[in-house]
Amino acid sequence: MRSPRQPTRRFLAGDGLARRLLAGVAATAIALAACSSGTDSSGVPGTDPNGATTTPPISGSADPAAPTTTPSPSTTDPTDASASTSTSTTSASTTSTSTSTSTTSTSTSTSTSTTTTTSTLPAGTVAESVDLTADVVVLGTSVEGREITAERYGTPGGRRVLVIGVIHGNEDGGVPIVDDLRRRAVAEELSPDVELWLVPSMNPDGQFAQIRQNANQVDLNRNFPLRWGPIGAPGDSQYAGAGPASEPETRAMVSFMEQLRPDLALWYHQDANLIIPSNGRDGRIRARYAELSGLPVEDCCAGGVYTGVAATWARELTSDQDGAAFIVELPGGDLPDDQVTRHADTVATIISELATI
Ligand SMILES: [Zn+2]
């Protein structure tokens, strides 16, 4: 039994996120299946990087995990990231530079219910690298200066599983699941072969304000630097930002995940109540998650055009190791306790099967 932890919080920041990911961003819009979400308002028509007017994000749409159609023959299905080909590049802007000094503090992280963590770090800080042997690391700070943290549990060197509780601020039903996973990890109830990383929220400003976007009104799940395309304008529910990874929250996660290279990454969303199918190992893990959790595997809401999706970027990142990354669309509202338990059970089972799935 591991004793109660007093996690050491360490932070290492450099000169901002390396931009190498941003060179080679495929500027190709992809039509993806979309899911319902009561939190979205009507989007506005966007224009994909090929110059074609795209279908406006449909009202009520949430996050696609995997595209099922493509708007042009030049695009490839991101569910099969290894087959993806970048056909054009988008130069990256270098709008932010982090120069924070290292900080060390101690705290006991037992709950993710608060999103009001203040930081001594400047707003918009991005950690160029973090200490992956620390119990808690600060990945950076949000537009309004709230810390984005990652907590490490399990066995160092084990298969790395990353669970992100919140990306859309008003879709925070995954938080109690993260809390449950933390409790199980501390109690050493999880597979000993796994190094579990929990990011309670990568959008603390949006969670605090209970809005979908970050404080710059950017939909972070349209802002990742793979196949980024412009969508909307500030105020639109799926505004993709000024460019790929324009937001500090996105850059913090990109930098962290480039280092971590998780075998499995999960993002919780609401409220489409499904998992979108995929192929290969990613598809098998999705199907297993669906089977165990009771969520249906379904496409939904085709017609929207989505780009810069976090899970798609993550699959590309880890394609050489056949990594999996997908969205779990929970039902809306507060998750009943039995559902929280069921999802935590599901994650626990899946991570115990990762070596063979
Ligand atoms: Zn969402």
PDB file of all heavy atoms in Angstrom, residues 194-232:
ATOM      1  N   VAL A 194       0.994  -0.425 -15.475  1.00  0.00           N
ATOM      2  CA  VAL A 194       0.630   0.825 -16.130  1.00  0.00           C
ATOM      3  C   VAL A 194       1.119   2.031 -15.344  1.00  0.00           C
ATOM      4  O   VAL A 194       1.080   2.060 -14.111  1.00  0.00           O
ATOM      5  CB  VAL A 194      -0.903   0.905 -16.305  1.00  0.00           C
ATOM      6  CG1 VAL A 194      -1.327   2.297 -16.731  1.00  0.00           C
ATOM      7  CG2 VAL A 194      -1.365  -0.142 -17.316  1.00  0.00           C
ATOM      8  N   GLU A 195       1.604   2.994 -16.087  1.00  0.00           N
ATOM      9  CA  GLU A 195       1.927   4.308 -15.544  1.00  0.00           C
ATOM     10  C   GLU A 195       0.767   5.224 -15.946  1.00  0.00           C
ATOM     11  O   GLU A 195       0.616   5.557 -17.119  1.00  0.00           O
ATOM     12  CB  GLU A 195       3.256   4.791 -16.126  1.00  0.00           C
ATOM     13  CG  GLU A 195       3.729   6.122 -15.591  1.00  0.00           C
ATOM     14  CD  GLU A 195       5.052   6.535 -16.260  1.00  0.00           C
ATOM     15  OE1 GLU A 195       6.026   5.762 -16.222  1.00  0.00           O
ATOM     16  OE2 GLU A 195       5.091   7.644 -16.836  1.00  0.00           O
ATOM     17  N   LEU A 196      -0.030   5.567 -14.976  1.00  0.00           N
ATOM     18  CA  LEU A 196      -1.255   6.327 -15.248  1.00  0.00           C
ATOM     19  C   LEU A 196      -1.032   7.808 -15.019  1.00  0.00           C
ATOM     20  O   LEU A 196      -0.527   8.223 -13.976  1.00  0.00           O
ATOM     21  CB  LEU A 196      -2.382   5.834 -14.334  1.00  0.00           C
ATOM     22  CG  LEU A 196      -3.711   6.601 -14.429  1.00  0.00           C
ATOM     23  CD1 LEU A 196      -4.358   6.399 -15.796  1.00  0.00           C
ATOM     24  CD2 LEU A 196      -4.651   6.163 -13.309  1.00  0.00           C
ATOM     25  N   TRP A 197      -1.424   8.588 -16.007  1.00  0.00           N
ATOM     26  CA  TRP A 197      -1.345  10.039 -15.901  1.00  0.00           C
ATOM     27  C   TRP A 197      -2.737  10.627 -15.982  1.00  0.00           C
ATOM     28  O   TRP A 197      -3.499  10.276 -16.884  1.00  0.00           O
ATOM     29  CB  TRP A 197      -0.463  10.611 -17.012  1.00  0.00           C
ATOM     30  CG  TRP A 197       0.997  10.350 -16.808  1.00  0.00           C
ATOM     31  CD1 TRP A 197       1.678   9.214 -17.142  1.00  0.00           C
ATOM     32  CD2 TRP A 197       1.941  11.240 -16.202  1.00  0.00           C
ATOM     33  NE1 TRP A 197       3.007   9.350 -16.776  1.00  0.00           N
ATOM     34  CE2 TRP A 197       3.184  10.586 -16.207  1.00  0.00           C
ATOM     35  CE3 TRP A 197       1.851  12.527 -15.674  1.00  0.00           C
ATOM     36  CZ2 TRP A 197       4.340  11.171 -15.695  1.00  0.00           C
ATOM     37  CZ3 TRP A 197       2.998  13.121 -15.165  1.00  0.00           C
ATOM     38  CH2 TRP A 197       4.227  12.441 -15.168  1.00  0.00           C
ATOM     39  N   LEU A 198      -3.045  11.484 -15.050  1.00  0.00           N
ATOM     40  CA  LEU A 198      -4.349  12.136 -15.006  1.00  0.00           C
ATOM     41  C   LEU A 198      -4.181  13.641 -15.191  1.00  0.00           C
ATOM     42  O   LEU A 198      -3.418  14.278 -14.464  1.00  0.00           O
ATOM     43  CB  LEU A 198      -5.044  11.865 -13.665  1.00  0.00           C
ATOM     44  CG  LEU A 198      -5.284  10.391 -13.305  1.00  0.00           C
ATOM     45  CD1 LEU A 198      -5.892  10.291 -11.901  1.00  0.00           C
ATOM     46  CD2 LEU A 198      -6.181   9.708 -14.334  1.00  0.00           C
ATOM     47  N   VAL A 199      -4.876  14.169 -16.162  1.00  0.00           N
ATOM     48  CA  VAL A 199      -4.973  15.623 -16.340  1.00  0.00           C
ATOM     49  C   VAL A 199      -6.438  15.977 -16.068  1.00  0.00           C
ATOM     50  O   VAL A 199      -7.289  15.781 -16.937  1.00  0.00           O
ATOM     51  CB  VAL A 199      -4.561  16.068 -17.760  1.00  0.00           C
ATOM     52  CG1 VAL A 199      -4.816  17.573 -17.945  1.00  0.00           C
ATOM     53  CG2 VAL A 199      -3.092  15.762 -17.998  1.00  0.00           C
ATOM     54  N   PRO A 200      -6.719  16.439 -14.881  1.00  0.00           N
ATOM     55  CA  PRO A 200      -8.129  16.694 -14.553  1.00  0.00           C
ATOM     56  C   PRO A 200      -8.803  17.650 -15.525  1.00  0.00           C
ATOM     57  O   PRO A 200      -9.948  17.444 -15.919  1.00  0.00           O
ATOM     58  CB  PRO A 200      -8.058  17.281 -13.142  1.00  0.00           C
ATOM     59  CG  PRO A 200      -6.794  16.717 -12.572  1.00  0.00           C
ATOM     60  CD  PRO A 200      -5.836  16.658 -13.732  1.00  0.00           C
ATOM     61  N   SER A 201      -8.079  18.692 -15.923  1.00  0.00           N
ATOM     62  CA  SER A 201      -8.666  19.636 -16.879  1.00  0.00           C
ATOM     63  C   SER A 201      -7.571  20.317 -17.677  1.00  0.00           C
ATOM     64  O   SER A 201      -6.638  20.872 -17.110  1.00  0.00           O
ATOM     65  CB  SER A 201      -9.487  20.707 -16.153  1.00  0.00           C
ATOM     66  OG  SER A 201     -10.027  21.622 -17.089  1.00  0.00           O
ATOM     67  N   MET A 202      -7.698  20.269 -18.982  1.00  0.00           N
ATOM     68  CA  MET A 202      -6.775  21.042 -19.820  1.00  0.00           C
ATOM     69  C   MET A 202      -7.422  22.359 -20.242  1.00  0.00           C
ATOM     70  O   MET A 202      -6.846  23.109 -21.030  1.00  0.00           O
ATOM     71  CB  MET A 202      -6.322  20.243 -21.048  1.00  0.00           C
ATOM     72  CG  MET A 202      -7.400  19.821 -22.010  1.00  0.00           C
ATOM     73  SD  MET A 202      -6.743  19.319 -23.644  1.00  0.00           S
ATOM     74  CE  MET A 202      -6.381  20.927 -24.380  1.00  0.00           C
ATOM     75  N   ASN A 203      -8.585  22.644 -19.703  1.00  0.00           N
ATOM     76  CA  ASN A 203      -9.257  23.909 -19.986  1.00  0.00           C
ATOM     77  C   ASN A 203      -9.834  24.480 -18.698  1.00  0.00           C
ATOM     78  O   ASN A 203     -11.054  24.586 -18.530  1.00  0.00           O
ATOM     79  CB  ASN A 203     -10.370  23.695 -21.030  1.00  0.00           C
ATOM     80  CG  ASN A 203     -11.052  24.990 -21.428  1.00  0.00           C
ATOM     81  OD1 ASN A 203     -10.603  26.082 -21.073  1.00  0.00           O
ATOM     82  ND2 ASN A 203     -12.153  24.871 -22.160  1.00  0.00           N
ATOM     83  N   PRO A 204      -8.968  24.831 -17.767  1.00  0.00           N
ATOM     84  CA  PRO A 204      -9.479  25.284 -16.460  1.00  0.00           C
ATOM     85  C   PRO A 204     -10.263  26.590 -16.535  1.00  0.00           C
ATOM     86  O   PRO A 204     -11.191  26.780 -15.747  1.00  0.00           O
ATOM     87  CB  PRO A 204      -8.212  25.428 -15.609  1.00  0.00           C
ATOM     88  CG  PRO A 204      -7.092  25.562 -16.590  1.00  0.00           C
ATOM     89  CD  PRO A 204      -7.500  24.758 -17.793  1.00  0.00           C
ATOM     90  N   ASP A 205      -9.919  27.459 -17.469  1.00  0.00           N
ATOM     91  CA  ASP A 205     -10.691  28.711 -17.587  1.00  0.00           C
ATOM     92  C   ASP A 205     -12.115  28.421 -18.069  1.00  0.00           C
ATOM     93  O   ASP A 205     -13.089  28.969 -17.537  1.00  0.00           O
ATOM     94  CB  ASP A 205     -10.021  29.673 -18.563  1.00  0.00           C
ATOM     95  CG  ASP A 205      -8.666  30.166 -18.085  1.00  0.00           C
ATOM     96  OD1 ASP A 205      -8.345  29.961 -16.902  1.00  0.00           O
ATOM     97  OD2 ASP A 205      -7.929  30.754 -18.911  1.00  0.00           O
ATOM     98  N   GLY A 206     -12.211  27.586 -19.069  1.00  0.00           N
ATOM     99  CA  GLY A 206     -13.528  27.240 -19.581  1.00  0.00           C
ATOM    100  C   GLY A 206     -14.353  26.492 -18.557  1.00  0.00           C
ATOM    101  O   GLY A 206     -15.568  26.683 -18.446  1.00  0.00           O
ATOM    102  N   GLN A 207     -13.676  25.649 -17.791  1.00  0.00           N
ATOM    103  CA  GLN A 207     -14.396  24.909 -16.747  1.00  0.00           C
ATOM    104  C   GLN A 207     -14.882  25.863 -15.664  1.00  0.00           C
ATOM    105  O   GLN A 207     -16.001  25.756 -15.179  1.00  0.00           O
ATOM    106  CB  GLN A 207     -13.485  23.829 -16.163  1.00  0.00           C
ATOM    107  CG  GLN A 207     -14.224  22.827 -15.298  1.00  0.00           C
ATOM    108  CD  GLN A 207     -13.289  21.810 -14.676  1.00  0.00           C
ATOM    109  OE1 GLN A 207     -12.071  21.830 -14.912  1.00  0.00           O
ATOM    110  NE2 GLN A 207     -13.838  20.926 -13.865  1.00  0.00           N
ATOM    111  N   PHE A 208     -14.042  26.796 -15.310  1.00  0.00           N
ATOM    112  CA  PHE A 208     -14.427  27.782 -14.292  1.00  0.00           C
ATOM    113  C   PHE A 208     -15.631  28.594 -14.758  1.00  0.00           C
ATOM    114  O   PHE A 208     -16.566  28.839 -14.008  1.00  0.00           O
ATOM    115  CB  PHE A 208     -13.245  28.705 -13.995  1.00  0.00           C
ATOM    116  CG  PHE A 208     -13.555  29.786 -13.013  1.00  0.00           C
ATOM    117  CD1 PHE A 208     -13.700  29.496 -11.656  1.00  0.00           C
ATOM    118  CD2 PHE A 208     -13.722  31.102 -13.431  1.00  0.00           C
ATOM    119  CE1 PHE A 208     -13.995  30.499 -10.743  1.00  0.00           C
ATOM    120  CE2 PHE A 208     -14.025  32.103 -12.522  1.00  0.00           C
ATOM    121  CZ  PHE A 208     -14.156  31.806 -11.174  1.00  0.00           C
ATOM    122  N   ALA A 209     -15.586  29.004 -16.007  1.00  0.00           N
ATOM    123  CA  ALA A 209     -16.672  29.837 -16.553  1.00  0.00           C
ATOM    124  C   ALA A 209     -17.837  29.010 -17.064  1.00  0.00           C
ATOM    125  O   ALA A 209     -18.862  29.568 -17.451  1.00  0.00           O
ATOM    126  CB  ALA A 209     -16.127  30.716 -17.684  1.00  0.00           C
ATOM    127  N   GLN A 210     -17.642  27.684 -17.087  1.00  0.00           N
ATOM    128  CA  GLN A 210     -18.655  26.772 -17.630  1.00  0.00           C
ATOM    129  C   GLN A 210     -19.032  27.150 -19.067  1.00  0.00           C
ATOM    130  O   GLN A 210     -20.210  27.286 -19.428  1.00  0.00           O
ATOM    131  CB  GLN A 210     -19.883  26.705 -16.723  1.00  0.00           C
ATOM    132  CG  GLN A 210     -19.646  25.848 -15.484  1.00  0.00           C
ATOM    133  CD  GLN A 210     -19.373  24.377 -15.842  1.00  0.00           C
ATOM    134  OE1 GLN A 210     -20.233  23.673 -16.353  1.00  0.00           O
ATOM    135  NE2 GLN A 210     -18.151  23.917 -15.587  1.00  0.00           N
ATOM    136  N   ILE A 211     -17.991  27.314 -19.836  1.00  0.00           N
ATOM    137  CA  ILE A 211     -18.170  27.516 -21.273  1.00  0.00           C
ATOM    138  C   ILE A 211     -17.353  26.452 -22.001  1.00  0.00           C
ATOM    139  O   ILE A 211     -16.431  25.868 -21.447  1.00  0.00           O
ATOM    140  CB  ILE A 211     -17.715  28.921 -21.743  1.00  0.00           C
ATOM    141  CG1 ILE A 211     -16.237  29.152 -21.399  1.00  0.00           C
ATOM    142  CG2 ILE A 211     -18.606  29.999 -21.121  1.00  0.00           C
ATOM    143  CD1 ILE A 211     -15.649  30.434 -21.990  1.00  0.00           C
ATOM    144  N   ARG A 212     -17.697  26.237 -23.224  1.00  0.00           N
ATOM    145  CA  ARG A 212     -17.017  25.220 -24.029  1.00  0.00           C
ATOM    146  C   ARG A 212     -15.559  25.596 -24.308  1.00  0.00           C
ATOM    147  O   ARG A 212     -14.647  24.778 -24.194  1.00  0.00           O
ATOM    148  CB  ARG A 212     -17.762  25.090 -25.365  1.00  0.00           C
ATOM    149  CG  ARG A 212     -17.129  24.172 -26.385  1.00  0.00           C
ATOM    150  CD  ARG A 212     -17.929  24.246 -27.692  1.00  0.00           C
ATOM    151  NE  ARG A 212     -17.346  23.441 -28.751  1.00  0.00           N
ATOM    152  CZ  ARG A 212     -17.664  22.159 -28.988  1.00  0.00           C
ATOM    153  NH1 ARG A 212     -18.547  21.565 -28.217  1.00  0.00           N
ATOM    154  NH2 ARG A 212     -17.108  21.494 -29.966  1.00  0.00           N
ATOM    155  N   GLN A 213     -15.343  26.847 -24.641  1.00  0.00           N
ATOM    156  CA  GLN A 213     -14.047  27.277 -25.135  1.00  0.00           C
ATOM    157  C   GLN A 213     -13.117  27.695 -23.996  1.00  0.00           C
ATOM    158  O   GLN A 213     -13.480  27.698 -22.840  1.00  0.00           O
ATOM    159  CB  GLN A 213     -14.235  28.466 -26.081  1.00  0.00           C
ATOM    160  CG  GLN A 213     -15.199  28.214 -27.218  1.00  0.00           C
ATOM    161  CD  GLN A 213     -16.639  28.606 -26.875  1.00  0.00           C
ATOM    162  OE1 GLN A 213     -16.997  28.759 -25.706  1.00  0.00           O
ATOM    163  NE2 GLN A 213     -17.460  28.756 -27.903  1.00  0.00           N
ATOM    164  N   ASN A 214     -11.922  28.118 -24.386  1.00  0.00           N
ATOM    165  CA  ASN A 214     -11.028  28.697 -23.385  1.00  0.00           C
ATOM    166  C   ASN A 214     -11.353  30.193 -23.249  1.00  0.00           C
ATOM    167  O   ASN A 214     -12.325  30.695 -23.823  1.00  0.00           O
ATOM    168  CB  ASN A 214      -9.556  28.442 -23.748  1.00  0.00           C
ATOM    169  CG  ASN A 214      -9.061  29.318 -24.900  1.00  0.00           C
ATOM    170  OD1 ASN A 214      -9.840  29.988 -25.582  1.00  0.00           O
ATOM    171  ND2 ASN A 214      -7.757  29.311 -25.113  1.00  0.00           N
ATOM    172  N   ALA A 215     -10.533  30.894 -22.505  1.00  0.00           N
ATOM    173  CA  ALA A 215     -10.828  32.308 -22.247  1.00  0.00           C
ATOM    174  C   ALA A 215     -10.618  33.186 -23.468  1.00  0.00           C
ATOM    175  O   ALA A 215     -11.031  34.346 -23.479  1.00  0.00           O
ATOM    176  CB  ALA A 215      -9.981  32.812 -21.073  1.00  0.00           C
ATOM    177  N   ASN A 216      -9.967  32.652 -24.490  1.00  0.00           N
ATOM    178  CA  ASN A 216      -9.860  33.374 -25.762  1.00  0.00           C
ATOM    179  C   ASN A 216     -10.986  32.995 -26.722  1.00  0.00           C
ATOM    180  O   ASN A 216     -10.911  33.312 -27.913  1.00  0.00           O
ATOM    181  CB  ASN A 216      -8.514  33.077 -26.444  1.00  0.00           C
ATOM    182  CG  ASN A 216      -7.362  33.819 -25.796  1.00  0.00           C
ATOM    183  OD1 ASN A 216      -7.559  34.832 -25.123  1.00  0.00           O
ATOM    184  ND2 ASN A 216      -6.150  33.311 -25.983  1.00  0.00           N
ATOM    185  N   GLN A 217     -11.957  32.304 -26.202  1.00  0.00           N
ATOM    186  CA  GLN A 217     -13.123  31.873 -26.994  1.00  0.00           C
ATOM    187  C   GLN A 217     -12.756  30.851 -28.062  1.00  0.00           C
ATOM    188  O   GLN A 217     -13.443  30.724 -29.079  1.00  0.00           O
ATOM    189  CB  GLN A 217     -13.833  33.069 -27.640  1.00  0.00           C
ATOM    190  CG  GLN A 217     -14.264  34.135 -26.645  1.00  0.00           C
ATOM    191  CD  GLN A 217     -15.013  35.259 -27.315  1.00  0.00           C
ATOM    192  OE1 GLN A 217     -16.039  35.053 -27.946  1.00  0.00           O
ATOM    193  NE2 GLN A 217     -14.494  36.471 -27.180  1.00  0.00           N
ATOM    194  N   VAL A 218     -11.680  30.145 -27.842  1.00  0.00           N
ATOM    195  CA  VAL A 218     -11.231  29.139 -28.804  1.00  0.00           C
ATOM    196  C   VAL A 218     -11.669  27.751 -28.350  1.00  0.00           C
ATOM    197  O   VAL A 218     -11.508  27.388 -27.184  1.00  0.00           O
ATOM    198  CB  VAL A 218      -9.694  29.174 -28.965  1.00  0.00           C
ATOM    199  CG1 VAL A 218      -9.212  28.039 -29.865  1.00  0.00           C
ATOM    200  CG2 VAL A 218      -9.254  30.528 -29.517  1.00  0.00           C
ATOM    201  N   ASP A 219     -12.209  27.010 -29.278  1.00  0.00           N
ATOM    202  CA  ASP A 219     -12.533  25.605 -29.043  1.00  0.00           C
ATOM    203  C   ASP A 219     -11.218  24.822 -29.100  1.00  0.00           C
ATOM    204  O   ASP A 219     -10.641  24.641 -30.180  1.00  0.00           O
ATOM    205  CB  ASP A 219     -13.506  25.119 -30.120  1.00  0.00           C
ATOM    206  CG  ASP A 219     -13.939  23.673 -29.923  1.00  0.00           C
ATOM    207  OD1 ASP A 219     -13.228  22.928 -29.213  1.00  0.00           O
ATOM    208  OD2 ASP A 219     -14.977  23.294 -30.490  1.00  0.00           O
ATOM    209  N   LEU A 220     -10.757  24.379 -27.959  1.00  0.00           N
ATOM    210  CA  LEU A 220      -9.439  23.735 -27.913  1.00  0.00           C
ATOM    211  C   LEU A 220      -9.413  22.434 -28.710  1.00  0.00           C
ATOM    212  O   LEU A 220      -8.346  21.989 -29.139  1.00  0.00           O
ATOM    213  CB  LEU A 220      -9.032  23.481 -26.454  1.00  0.00           C
ATOM    214  CG  LEU A 220      -8.870  24.741 -25.596  1.00  0.00           C
ATOM    215  CD1 LEU A 220      -8.547  24.361 -24.155  1.00  0.00           C
ATOM    216  CD2 LEU A 220      -7.784  25.661 -26.163  1.00  0.00           C
ATOM    217  N   ASN A 221     -10.563  21.846 -28.906  1.00  0.00           N
ATOM    218  CA  ASN A 221     -10.581  20.610 -29.693  1.00  0.00           C
ATOM    219  C   ASN A 221     -10.701  20.868 -31.193  1.00  0.00           C
ATOM    220  O   ASN A 221     -11.008  19.971 -31.960  1.00  0.00           O
ATOM    221  CB  ASN A 221     -11.714  19.686 -29.221  1.00  0.00           C
ATOM    222  CG  ASN A 221     -11.395  18.229 -29.504  1.00  0.00           C
ATOM    223  OD1 ASN A 221     -10.240  17.812 -29.420  1.00  0.00           O
ATOM    224  ND2 ASN A 221     -12.418  17.452 -29.855  1.00  0.00           N
ATOM    225  N   ARG A 222     -10.462  22.077 -31.580  1.00  0.00           N
ATOM    226  CA  ARG A 222     -10.273  22.425 -32.988  1.00  0.00           C
ATOM    227  C   ARG A 222      -8.922  23.130 -33.180  1.00  0.00           C
ATOM    228  O   ARG A 222      -8.637  23.635 -34.248  1.00  0.00           O
ATOM    229  CB  ARG A 222     -11.392  23.373 -33.465  1.00  0.00           C
ATOM    230  CG  ARG A 222     -12.792  22.858 -33.254  1.00  0.00           C
ATOM    231  CD  ARG A 222     -13.116  21.664 -34.134  1.00  0.00           C
ATOM    232  NE  ARG A 222     -14.479  21.184 -33.876  1.00  0.00           N
ATOM    233  CZ  ARG A 222     -14.796  20.278 -32.945  1.00  0.00           C
ATOM    234  NH1 ARG A 222     -13.843  19.697 -32.226  1.00  0.00           N
ATOM    235  NH2 ARG A 222     -16.046  19.921 -32.752  1.00  0.00           N
ATOM    236  N   ASN A 223      -8.131  23.152 -32.144  1.00  0.00           N
ATOM    237  CA  ASN A 223      -6.925  23.980 -32.128  1.00  0.00           C
ATOM    238  C   ASN A 223      -5.634  23.172 -32.193  1.00  0.00           C
ATOM    239  O   ASN A 223      -4.543  23.731 -32.235  1.00  0.00           O
ATOM    240  CB  ASN A 223      -6.953  24.861 -30.858  1.00  0.00           C
ATOM    241  CG  ASN A 223      -5.899  25.941 -30.839  1.00  0.00           C
ATOM    242  OD1 ASN A 223      -5.052  25.986 -29.950  1.00  0.00           O
ATOM    243  ND2 ASN A 223      -5.914  26.818 -31.831  1.00  0.00           N
ATOM    244  N   PHE A 224      -5.724  21.843 -32.217  1.00  0.00           N
ATOM    245  CA  PHE A 224      -4.502  21.037 -32.209  1.00  0.00           C
ATOM    246  C   PHE A 224      -3.824  21.091 -33.589  1.00  0.00           C
ATOM    247  O   PHE A 224      -4.471  21.258 -34.614  1.00  0.00           O
ATOM    248  CB  PHE A 224      -4.804  19.600 -31.766  1.00  0.00           C
ATOM    249  CG  PHE A 224      -4.767  19.459 -30.269  1.00  0.00           C
ATOM    250  CD1 PHE A 224      -5.743  20.054 -29.477  1.00  0.00           C
ATOM    251  CD2 PHE A 224      -3.742  18.773 -29.640  1.00  0.00           C
ATOM    252  CE1 PHE A 224      -5.705  19.963 -28.092  1.00  0.00           C
ATOM    253  CE2 PHE A 224      -3.690  18.679 -28.255  1.00  0.00           C
ATOM    254  CZ  PHE A 224      -4.659  19.269 -27.480  1.00  0.00           C
ATOM    255  N   PRO A 225      -2.501  20.932 -33.558  1.00  0.00           N
ATOM    256  CA  PRO A 225      -1.713  21.198 -34.773  1.00  0.00           C
ATOM    257  C   PRO A 225      -1.614  20.020 -35.733  1.00  0.00           C
ATOM    258  O   PRO A 225      -0.529  19.654 -36.167  1.00  0.00           O
ATOM    259  CB  PRO A 225      -0.343  21.588 -34.208  1.00  0.00           C
ATOM    260  CG  PRO A 225      -0.240  20.786 -32.956  1.00  0.00           C
ATOM    261  CD  PRO A 225      -1.636  20.730 -32.385  1.00  0.00           C
ATOM    262  N   LEU A 226      -2.738  19.422 -36.025  1.00  0.00           N
ATOM    263  CA  LEU A 226      -2.773  18.437 -37.099  1.00  0.00           C
ATOM    264  C   LEU A 226      -4.031  18.700 -37.905  1.00  0.00           C
ATOM    265  O   LEU A 226      -5.137  18.677 -37.367  1.00  0.00           O
ATOM    266  CB  LEU A 226      -2.802  17.005 -36.549  1.00  0.00           C
ATOM    267  CG  LEU A 226      -2.853  15.930 -37.637  1.00  0.00           C
ATOM    268  CD1 LEU A 226      -1.542  15.835 -38.399  1.00  0.00           C
ATOM    269  CD2 LEU A 226      -3.217  14.571 -37.048  1.00  0.00           C
ATOM    270  N   ARG A 227      -3.821  18.930 -39.179  1.00  0.00           N
ATOM    271  CA  ARG A 227      -4.940  19.244 -40.072  1.00  0.00           C
ATOM    272  C   ARG A 227      -5.775  20.382 -39.501  1.00  0.00           C
ATOM    273  O   ARG A 227      -7.002  20.335 -39.545  1.00  0.00           O
ATOM    274  CB  ARG A 227      -5.803  17.999 -40.307  1.00  0.00           C
ATOM    275  CG  ARG A 227      -5.021  16.848 -40.905  1.00  0.00           C
ATOM    276  CD  ARG A 227      -5.917  15.688 -41.278  1.00  0.00           C
ATOM    277  NE  ARG A 227      -5.130  14.552 -41.724  1.00  0.00           N
ATOM    278  CZ  ARG A 227      -4.675  13.604 -40.906  1.00  0.00           C
ATOM    279  NH1 ARG A 227      -4.975  13.645 -39.627  1.00  0.00           N
ATOM    280  NH2 ARG A 227      -3.952  12.618 -41.379  1.00  0.00           N
ATOM    281  N   TRP A 228      -5.079  21.336 -38.947  1.00  0.00           N
ATOM    282  CA  TRP A 228      -5.804  22.500 -38.438  1.00  0.00           C
ATOM    283  C   TRP A 228      -6.401  23.274 -39.602  1.00  0.00           C
ATOM    284  O   TRP A 228      -5.797  23.390 -40.676  1.00  0.00           O
ATOM    285  CB  TRP A 228      -4.852  23.405 -37.659  1.00  0.00           C
ATOM    286  CG  TRP A 228      -5.554  24.611 -37.095  1.00  0.00           C
ATOM    287  CD1 TRP A 228      -6.144  24.707 -35.863  1.00  0.00           C
ATOM    288  CD2 TRP A 228      -5.744  25.880 -37.735  1.00  0.00           C
ATOM    289  NE1 TRP A 228      -6.697  25.957 -35.702  1.00  0.00           N
ATOM    290  CE2 TRP A 228      -6.475  26.696 -36.832  1.00  0.00           C
ATOM    291  CE3 TRP A 228      -5.381  26.403 -38.974  1.00  0.00           C
ATOM    292  CZ2 TRP A 228      -6.838  28.014 -37.146  1.00  0.00           C
ATOM    293  CZ3 TRP A 228      -5.758  27.707 -39.299  1.00  0.00           C
ATOM    294  CH2 TRP A 228      -6.471  28.500 -38.373  1.00  0.00           C
ATOM    295  N   GLY A 229      -7.544  23.780 -39.391  1.00  0.00           N
ATOM    296  CA  GLY A 229      -8.151  24.659 -40.389  1.00  0.00           C
ATOM    297  C   GLY A 229      -8.960  25.715 -39.682  1.00  0.00           C
ATOM    298  O   GLY A 229      -9.430  25.508 -38.556  1.00  0.00           O
ATOM    299  N   PRO A 230      -9.109  26.854 -40.318  1.00  0.00           N
ATOM    300  CA  PRO A 230      -9.879  27.923 -39.669  1.00  0.00           C
ATOM    301  C   PRO A 230     -11.355  27.564 -39.599  1.00  0.00           C
ATOM    302  O   PRO A 230     -11.932  27.099 -40.576  1.00  0.00           O
ATOM    303  CB  PRO A 230      -9.643  29.127 -40.586  1.00  0.00           C
ATOM    304  CG  PRO A 230      -9.314  28.538 -41.920  1.00  0.00           C
ATOM    305  CD  PRO A 230      -8.615  27.236 -41.640  1.00  0.00           C
ATOM    306  N   ILE A 231     -11.902  27.738 -38.472  1.00  0.00           N
ATOM    307  CA  ILE A 231     -13.340  27.574 -38.289  1.00  0.00           C
ATOM    308  C   ILE A 231     -13.824  28.785 -37.514  1.00  0.00           C
ATOM    309  O   ILE A 231     -13.333  29.068 -36.423  1.00  0.00           O
ATOM    310  CB  ILE A 231     -13.703  26.302 -37.486  1.00  0.00           C
ATOM    311  CG1 ILE A 231     -13.188  25.043 -38.188  1.00  0.00           C
ATOM    312  CG2 ILE A 231     -15.217  26.206 -37.285  1.00  0.00           C
ATOM    313  CD1 ILE A 231     -13.379  23.772 -37.357  1.00  0.00           C
ATOM    314  N   GLY A 232     -14.780  29.459 -38.070  1.00  0.00           N
ATOM    315  CA  GLY A 232     -15.490  30.491 -37.339  1.00  0.00           C
ATOM    316  C   GLY A 232     -14.649  31.683 -36.936  1.00  0.00           C
ATOM    317  O   GLY A 232     -13.584  31.967 -37.497  1.00  0.00           O
TER     318      GLY A 232
END
